[in-house]
Amino acid sequence: MFTAILQVFGRILLWIYNFCGDYALSLAIFTLLIRLVLFPLSYKSKKGMMQMTSMNEEMQRLQKQYGKDQQRYQQEVAKLYEQEHVNPMGGCLWSLLPLPILMGLYAVIRQPMLHMLCLTQDEIATVTETLSNLGYTVAQSQQAYQEMVMLNWIGQDQTLYNAVADAIGSAADKLQVISFNFFGINLGEIPDWQFWTWDTVNWAHIGLFLIPIGVTVLNFLYSMYSMKSNQVKTSESSGANNPAAGSTKAMMYLMPLMYLWFGYSMPAGMCIYMACTAIFGALENLIFSKFLNKKFAAEAAERQARIEARRAEEKAHKAEIAARRAKEEEEMRKKGGKRALKQAQKAQKKRDSGAGQVGVRRYARGRSYDPDRYPITPYRDPQDVLDEEALELALAKKRGRRPAAETEEEETDQTVQAVETLSEGQQQSPDGEITEEGEN
């Protein structure tokens, strides 16, 4: 099914080629049509990126204010996104959606026999075997682009074309010669960067050598312009730097280097497609910036005005607190003199010690919070044998009285002493009355 869908795009590319008669021009027109189809997705992606960069200054303020408290920082960022109706993944999401389509188009250009000429896999295998018998074998490094290489050979030699047509039989009417010539450069060949190994130096070799370099330069300029066009500046601010500017710049330099490597490992026709993609992408960014920059600049200006108003309100609130404290100190000075003033200053100093502060919330744990007020009880293993006498002694000392065991022992001694005294000096009468010895 996926092959059938790609063959639709391949037939469109073949129709464009038959109309204009030039492979490079047909690739440019085909790329332009695809960019027009993906225009709404590209617009949403650009809108999301510009919306994110327009809030860079506010994000930096939150980072500076709540940087040490990451949980609070994440909460404030989520609140900011909700207030501004921003989806932080919007720009990335819409930019990822066109990738499957672009990768499919890459397969269309890379396999022209399968997608443009609509040959089956068995017929392509027959073409490969036929060319191999005639001494044309695709190198191992060119296996990924063997269809372009074989179609290039067939288009340059009529004998090869006739042999292949006879080999595939009834499918010969599908076979078509495609000229990869572009100003004397064969776009079906893979550029060779090892110029010192050239046997002959001519425009065909030089042109192939320069195409990947030109594609790399175009993609570097496109990346630089795209990153610059994402910035939104207001009259109040010259534009805040993106917190992810470091990674963005790294990608700006890394991606063109990847294009340079791609350019020297695939046929030059693929480089033409990448160059057209960069050119039309730059034109899209120019259009998007023209329409979106004014909108997001106005929103950024309104956001900056709200920030300034909030800062002024916080400053006035702090000034009000300072004035109230000064007034209280003056009243206490008049009532209680220096001693009361010193006590008030001491209490204020204790409140301002910072022990109760959490992040930017100065009195989150209370104005008089003391971390040493309740000492930490050492851990005791529940399996350990409890010394009840030592525990009772400690509790008794804490309550300010002797242990119950000592008190009970003392009471017992007093009782025994009283009984002994009674037995020595007194006797009890039969009716229960106690009489002294010697009385009748």
Side-chain angles (χ1 to χ4, degrees), residues 232-266:
V232 179
K233 297 183 179 181
T234 63
S235 57
E236 292 84 0
S237 174
S238 60
N241 293 327
N242 193 337
S247 59
T248 305
K249 289 183 178 180
M251 291 297 295
M252 184 180 67
Y253 292 105
L254 181 61
M255 289 302 296
L257 292 178
M258 293 180 61
Y259 282 112
L260 183 64
W261 180 73
F262 290 152
Y264 285 109
S265 60
M266 61 179 61

Side-chain angles (χ1 to χ4, degrees), residues 144-286:
Y145 311 97
Q146 64 173 351
E147 293 188 21
M148 290 189 70
V149 176
M150 292 190 301
L151 200 58
N152 181 45
W153 290 340
I154 295 172
Q156 291 178 343
D157 193 337
Q158 185 64 32
T159 303
L160 294 179
Y161 179 85
N162 294 332
V164 170
D166 293 338
I168 59 178
S170 59
D173 56 341
K174 299 180 184 179
L175 195 62
Q176 180 177 342
V177 174
I178 297 179
S179 176
F180 293 98
N181 181 62
F182 176 66
F183 293 106
I185 303 172
N186 190 350
L187 298 180
E189 295 183 359
I190 297 177
D192 186 7
W193 61 275
Q194 297 179 346
F195 55 88
W196 57 86
T197 60
W198 295 349
D199 296 332
T200 58
V201 179
N202 51 34
W203 168 243
H205 288 86
I206 297 175
L208 278 176
F209 175 78
L210 294 178
I211 283 178
I213 298 176
V215 171
T216 302
V217 173
L218 280 175
N219 279 276
F220 174 76
L221 295 176
Y222 167 62
S223 300
M224 185 170 59
Y225 174 71
S226 179
M227 185 179 66
K228 184 178 179 181
S229 63
N230 287 337
Q231 302 297 325
V232 179
K233 297 183 179 181
T234 63
S235 57
E236 292 84 0
S237 174
S238 60
N241 293 327
N242 193 337
S247 59
T248 305
K249 289 183 178 180
M251 291 297 295
M252 184 180 67
Y253 292 105
L254 181 61
M255 289 302 296
L257 292 178
M258 293 180 61
Y259 282 112
L260 183 64
W261 180 73
F262 290 152
Y264 285 109
S265 60
M266 61 179 61
M270 298 299 301
C271 296
I272 298 298
Y273 170 69
M274 292 187 294
C276 294
T277 301
I279 294 173
F280 294 135
L283 292 176
E284 274 188 352
N285 278 275
L286 180 62

Side-chain angles (χ1 to χ4, degrees), residues 105-170:
L105 299 179
Y106 167 78
V108 169
I109 300 173
R110 184 175 64 87
Q111 298 175 296
M113 287 186 174
L114 177 63
H115 299 122
M116 293 179 63
L117 304 183
C118 298
L119 296 176
T120 63
Q121 294 289 353
D122 294 336
E123 292 168 350
I124 295 174
T126 302
V127 173
T128 304
E129 183 179 358
T130 302
L131 292 176
S132 178
N133 294 334
L134 295 174
Y136 291 86
T137 304
V138 180
Q140 186 66 30
S141 60
Q142 301 177 353
Q143 287 295 324
Y145 311 97
Q146 64 173 351
E147 293 188 21
M148 290 189 70
V149 176
M150 292 190 301
L151 200 58
N152 181 45
W153 290 340
I154 295 172
Q156 291 178 343
D157 193 337
Q158 185 64 32
T159 303
L160 294 179
Y161 179 85
N162 294 332
V164 170
D166 293 338
I168 59 178
S170 59

Side-chain angles (χ1 to χ4, degrees), residues 187-425:
L187 298 180
E189 295 183 359
I190 297 177
D192 186 7
W193 61 275
Q194 297 179 346
F195 55 88
W196 57 86
T197 60
W198 295 349
D199 296 332
T200 58
V201 179
N202 51 34
W203 168 243
H205 288 86
I206 297 175
L208 278 176
F209 175 78
L210 294 178
I211 283 178
I213 298 176
V215 171
T216 302
V217 173
L218 280 175
N219 279 276
F220 174 76
L221 295 176
Y222 167 62
S223 300
M224 185 170 59
Y225 174 71
S226 179
M227 185 179 66
K228 184 178 179 181
S229 63
N230 287 337
Q231 302 297 325
V232 179
K233 297 183 179 181
T234 63
S235 57
E236 292 84 0
S237 174
S238 60
N241 293 327
N242 193 337
S247 59
T248 305
K249 289 183 178 180
M251 291 297 295
M252 184 180 67
Y253 292 105
L254 181 61
M255 289 302 296
L257 292 178
M258 293 180 61
Y259 282 112
L260 183 64
W261 180 73
F262 290 152
Y264 285 109
S265 60
M266 61 179 61
M270 298 299 301
C271 296
I272 298 298
Y273 170 69
M274 292 187 294
C276 294
T277 301
I279 294 173
F280 294 135
L283 292 176
E284 274 188 352
N285 278 275
L286 180 62
I287 297 173
F288 295 154
S289 299
K290 183 177 180 181
F291 285 97
L292 293 176
N293 193 54
K294 293 182 179 179
K295 174 183 177 181
F296 288 116
E299 292 183 0
E302 294 177 0
R303 189 181 302 110
Q304 184 66 24
R306 291 197 300 269
I307 293 173
E308 295 297 334
R310 185 166 56 249
R311 289 175 179 174
E313 183 179 353
E314 292 176 355
K315 186 176 180 180
H317 181 63
K318 291 180 180 179
E320 181 182 354
I321 293 175
R324 186 172 65 250
R325 288 179 178 175
K327 184 178 180 181
E328 292 176 355
E329 291 179 359
E330 183 65 24
E331 291 178 354
M332 293 184 69
R333 185 184 293 108
K334 292 179 180 180
K335 293 180 179 180
K338 295 183 179 180
R339 183 176 180 181
L341 179 61
K342 288 182 178 180
Q343 291 179 352
Q345 291 176 349
K346 185 177 181 180
Q348 182 63 34
K349 185 177 180 181
K350 184 177 181 180
R351 288 196 297 268
D352 296 339
S353 62
Q357 183 170 352
V358 176
V360 297
R361 297 176 295 169
R362 194 166 188 175
Y363 304 114
R365 297 191 180 97
R367 291 179 176 269
S368 301
Y369 173 75
D370 185 4
D372 301 325
R373 179 178 298 174
Y374 302 104
I376 299 175
T377 303
Y379 172 77
R380 185 184 66 83
D381 192 345
Q383 302 298 329
D384 292 345
V385 179
L386 182 64
D387 190 351
E388 297 182 358
E389 294 182 359
L391 178 61
E392 185 179 357
L393 180 61
L395 293 175
K397 288 181 179 180
K398 184 176 181 180
R399 293 194 296 265
R401 61 173 182 264
R402 289 176 295 175
E406 294 182 4
T407 304
E408 183 179 354
E409 184 179 356
E410 183 178 351
E411 291 177 353
T412 304
D413 294 341
Q414 292 178 358
T415 303
V416 172
Q417 185 178 1
V419 170
E420 291 177 354
T421 303
L422 180 63
S423 61
E424 292 178 358

